[in-house]
Amino acid sequence: MDPSTPKQAKKISPAASAALARWREARFGLFIHWGLYAIPAGVWQGKRVPYIGEWMMFREKIPLATYAKFAAQFNPRNFDAAGIVRLAREAGQRYLVITAKHHDGFAMYDSASNPYNVVQATPWHHDPMKDLARECKKQGVTLCFYYSQDIDWHHPDGAWNTWDFDEKKKDTNRYLREKVYPQLRELLTHYGPVGLIWFDTPVTISPRQSAAIRRFVKKIQPGCLVSGRIGHGLGDYGIPRDNQMPPGRLAGDWEVCATLNHTWGYKKHDQDWKSAPDLTRTLVESASKNANYLLNIGPDATGRIPAASVSRLRAIGAWLQKNGTSIYGTAPSPFTHDFPWGRITTKGRILYLHLFKKPTRLFELRGLQTRVVSATPLLAPDRKLGVRQTIDPTTGTPVLKLDLQGLRFANPVTVLKLRLADSPTVTPGPIQEPDGILSLLTAEAQACSAKGRPNLKISPLGFTGGWKQTSDWLEWRGTVLNPGKFTVEVITTHQHLESWSGGHTARIETTGRSLRKKLTRDAEIDYIQAAYFPRIATRMGRIELKEPGPFTLSLHLDKILPPPKDTPLWDDMSPLVVAVRLLPV
């Protein structure tokens, strides 16, 4: 299990339950990465440093004494707490998470327990967290803190500084006692109510230590949430990896954290900004999958927020100002799978259909069993759309058709509001889309084995894990309405900084037909997060589904390559299967 994944059976207090409900209602938050790393701004000794800005000290193995000199240069004359909180409000963000201490160990607040902080070590001599706490209370935004509880390159017992300190002499308990607990107490007692502590990257801390940190937070502020990256499944909600969008609906509470360009901390040469339409669609997709969207800004060393960040956040806010009822306080889609046309959120007996592109006049949704009372554009409630619900006579699949004549589609997302006779119920499992494509998500599969219980797992994020035995396989039961010939693709993924686990030999079995091929990079699927988690298609060959109705398809691995010696931190290097796709020929 990924350390960011929560244990769903964990009990939480009434105060934390109420806080989680408020957090879930918010759906959209502002992340702020700001610290000494904004001074070098991605450049060290005259060269541009790859990777994210706030990891420069680690990436370049900068000696602590050298890095600490940045503090003497830190004097952010353009810092404007009121403006930052106002920007969050304009963007429609209901909570704000700022780095109180990142991996470099420098506290961005007045820490009495450790002098390596923004008040005592810089010429600014100012506590920006006090300003933000005041403005968040004044403007109605929930204040939250990021705190690196494990990685700390400044403390001799913190994780992952091996160039200044002897790894064999590190004592994690001493680090927690001397720095983490005193600083958490300061953050939880000096700035009023705190919405959550966003812990990060648990690489050396044990389950017992993580549990103790959680108890410590809850004892001081019972209503303060704890993020999934406290580790060991102890968070109040889960977090996928950075900039990762799961392929299907998630069970439980989650938060997608993402950047506006490709760095968290400020890098002056990273000008590859994501478009406002893509960011808006990502917000919609997050909500449709039961995840909040935490979107980051990285102020520069003067405290200025890049203009490109400001304009994009305001564009999202302009869309939310009109369409926010389809995001705030919503539940996820009743379907476990995605749609080629957009995403769905729900609120009681209401379905919100979010169209990502201009639809044809006749819109078709398959699998909704509940009767639709009315359908209207969200922004034109007096315009009634034609509704027709039927049952496919061959497969028994419910089919909803909407007549969208006269609908004005407005980029980036146009929302339709469907009022239902009851809470939505849907046909489970993959259903062929009107365009003929069948997408069989791993999240909708069953893990099977010829030797009893499979070692193969389907993660909460909808990927395979631990696929190391050829006796295990995935199996789907889908529904085809328009039979014919199909090209079969196996879609796998990997984190862009790690090696793709290709080369395994896959086999597809369905309707008496068998396709066998080595997993190769035949094509890559274009989607918003492709730069971070590319989806790689292996074209297995063709099959024919001759009859409409249910069918079974299985994916086997006849040969599994051994993992490399240098195994990545989070990945076991077994194949990460996203889906099997059937494309009509």
Side-chain angles (χ1 to χ4, degrees):
M1 178 180 286
D2 188 291
S4 298
T5 302
K7 294 177 181 176
Q8 300 299 334
K10 179 178 71 275
K11 294 181 180 180
I12 61 176
S13 69
S17 180
L20 189 58
R22 291 191 295 270
W23 172 86
R24 191 184 296 125
E25 165 91 16
R27 281 298 180 219
F28 192 25
L30 177 66
F31 218 172
I32 306 173
H33 277 67
W34 193 41
L36 297 183
Y37 38 82
I39 295 174
V43 177
W44 181 243
Q45 295 182 338
K47 70 172 184 177
R48 293 182 177 184
V49 177
Y51 200 47
I52 45 185
E54 70 282 1
W55 277 73
M56 176 180 283
M57 182 180 175
F58 177 86
R59 179 86 183 194
E60 297 299 306
K61 301 297 184 287
I62 302 174
L64 177 59
T66 302
Y67 186 86
K69 292 178 181 178
F70 286 134
Q73 305 172 41
F74 193 73
N75 192 14
R77 60 188 180 278
N78 293 326
F79 174 75
D80 178 7
I84 289 173
V85 178
R86 185 165 56 250
L87 176 62
R89 284 177 51 83
E90 290 172 349
Q93 295 163 312
R94 302 275 179 93
Y95 62 105
L96 176 157
V97 183
I98 184 167
T99 48
K101 177 183 80 80
H102 208 275
H103 304 328
D104 62 0
F106 187 77
M108 288 294 292
Y109 72 97
D110 189 8
S111 175
S113 64
N114 192 297
Y116 193 52
N117 69 69
V118 70
V119 174
Q120 297 182 51
T122 77
W124 195 30
H125 300 303
H126 189 77
D127 185 345
M129 304 304 169
K130 286 186 177 180
D131 299 340
L132 287 169
R134 181 185 64 250
E135 286 299 328
C136 281
K137 182 178 180 180
K138 180 179 178 181
Q139 298 190 44
V141 174
T142 300
L143 176 68
C144 310
F145 292 122
Y146 168 109
Y147 189 88
S148 179
Q149 82 281 17
D150 193 357
I151 297 179
D152 190 311
W153 306 317
H154 181 265
H155 195 283
D157 297 309
W160 283 19
N161 183 340
T162 57
W163 57 97
D164 282 305
F165 307 113
D166 186 347
E167 187 77 12
K168 296 178 181 178
K169 295 181 180 180
K170 289 182 181 289
D171 182 343
T172 302
N173 282 321
R174 184 168 55 202
Y175 161 64
L176 294 174
R177 184 175 61 252
E178 290 181 356
K179 191 167 188 180
V180 174
Y181 286 125
Q183 289 195 330
L184 286 177
R185 184 179 296 279
E186 291 164 353
L187 292 170
L188 291 165
T189 57
H190 294 174
Y191 301 96
V194 176
L196 65 92
I197 300 290
W198 211 97
F199 292 112
D200 194 13
T201 319
V203 291
T204 67
I205 286 181
S206 69
R208 179 177 293 182
Q209 290 165 333
S210 287
I213 293 171
R214 176 185 169 86
R215 287 194 301 271
F216 184 84
V217 171
K218 300 293 185 178
K219 185 176 181 180
I220 299 174
Q221 287 202 31
C224 180
L225 300 178
V226 170
S227 82
R229 291 191 185 172
I230 193 171
H232 309 291
L234 295 170
D236 290 315
Y237 60 89
I239 305 172
R241 296 180 69 177
D242 297 355
N243 284 299
Q244 184 181 39
M245 180 61 70
R249 189 189 66 195
L250 298 164
D253 294 293
W254 294 81
E255 181 182 61
V256 170
C257 59
T259 53
L260 278 165
N261 46 2
H262 299 297
T263 183
W264 301 90
Y266 178 71
K267 288 179 70 173
K268 59 185 177 184
H269 55 270
D270 185 352
Q271 301 297 319
D272 189 12
W273 301 96
K274 297 161 189 171
S275 71
D278 277 353
L279 294 166
T280 304
R281 295 182 192 112
T282 304
L283 168 63
V284 171
E285 181 163 13
S286 299
S288 77
K289 295 180 175 180
N290 213 32
N292 282 16
Y293 188 36
L294 186 62
L295 189 55
N296 182 75
I297 59 172
D300 66 17
T302 75
R304 182 188 63 86
I305 302 169
S309 298
V310 174
S311 63
R312 281 155 177 78
L313 288 177
R314 285 176 175 163
I316 301 170
W319 183 87
L320 278 170
Q321 193 168 27
K322 296 178 179 179
N323 299 276
T325 187
S326 70
I327 300 296
Y328 299 123
T330 57
S333 170
F335 295 90
T336 55
H337 49 265
D338 294 337
F339 296 94
W341 47 263
R343 300 293 181 265
I344 299 176
T345 59
T346 67
K347 190 178 288 184
R349 296 183 178 184
I350 294 174
L351 283 187
Y352 295 104
L353 308 186
H354 297 80
L355 307 179
F356 287 1
K357 55 187 177 181
K358 186 176 181 178
T360 58
R361 174 179 169 178
L362 294 179
F363 173 88
E364 184 174 320
L365 175 65
R366 296 173 174 178
L368 178 64
Q369 298 174 349
T370 314
R371 182 172 65 88
V372 177
V373 176
S374 66
T376 64
L378 180 63
L379 301 185
D382 294 332
R383 175 175 290 177
K384 303 297 181 183
L385 302 174
V387 176
R388 184 168 179 257
Q389 287 180 279
T390 59
I391 300 294
D392 180 74
T394 307
T395 65
T397 303
V399 177
L400 166 68
K401 292 186 177 180
L402 301 178
D403 187 344
L404 305 184
Q405 183 180 23
L407 174 71
R408 292 185 61 187
F409 177 79
N411 272 318
V413 182
T414 294
V415 185
L416 306 181
K417 179 180 178 180
L418 275 57
R419 191 175 298 277
L420 309 182
D422 207 338
S423 298
T425 57
V426 302
T427 302
I431 302 173
Q432 186 181 27
E433 291 292 332
D435 62 7
I437 296 176
L438 270 154
S439 292
L440 312 179
L441 294 186
T442 296
E444 295 183 301
Q446 181 178 356
C448 305
S449 177
K451 297 181 178 179
R453 195 171 186 177
N455 289 309
L456 165 64
K457 304 296 181 186
I458 299 174
S459 78
L461 294 175
F463 305 108
T464 51
W467 201 340
K468 299 180 180 181
Q469 296 184 359
T470 57
S471 56
D472 294 344
W473 73 87
L474 290 178
E475 187 167 289
W476 291 266
R477 185 176 176 84
T479 301
V480 60
L481 280 72
N482 305 107
K485 293 181 180 180
F486 298 85
T487 297
V488 181
E489 294 182 337
V490 174
I491 311 299
T492 55
T493 190
H494 72 110
Q495 213 269 359
H496 69 111
L497 295 174
E498 298 167 0
S499 301
W500 174 57
S501 59
H504 313 283
T505 301
R507 174 167 48 91
I508 294 287
E509 297 283 348
T510 186
T511 62
R513 181 86 165 94
S514 181
L515 304 174
R516 191 172 186 268
K517 186 182 177 183
K518 182 185 293 186
L519 292 180
T520 55
R521 193 184 296 266
D522 291 329
E524 291 193 13
I525 308 300
D526 184 25
Y527 78 116
I528 294 176
Q529 289 79 27
Y532 306 102
F533 294 87
R535 292 182 181 173
I536 299 159
T538 300
R539 296 184 178 127
M540 300 291 294
R542 290 184 177 182
I543 62 167
E544 184 175 7
L545 299 176
K546 297 181 179 180
E547 301 291 337
F551 72 98
T552 300
L553 183 144
S554 59
L555 171 64
H556 305 254
L557 292 181
D558 290 343
K559 182 178 180 180
I560 302 175
L561 301 181
K565 293 181 180 180
D566 185 17
T567 302
L569 183 62
W570 304 123
D571 191 357
D572 62 10
M573 289 307 293
S574 65
L576 294 176
V577 178
V578 178
V580 172
R581 292 203 313 174
L582 278 63
L583 309 176
V585 177

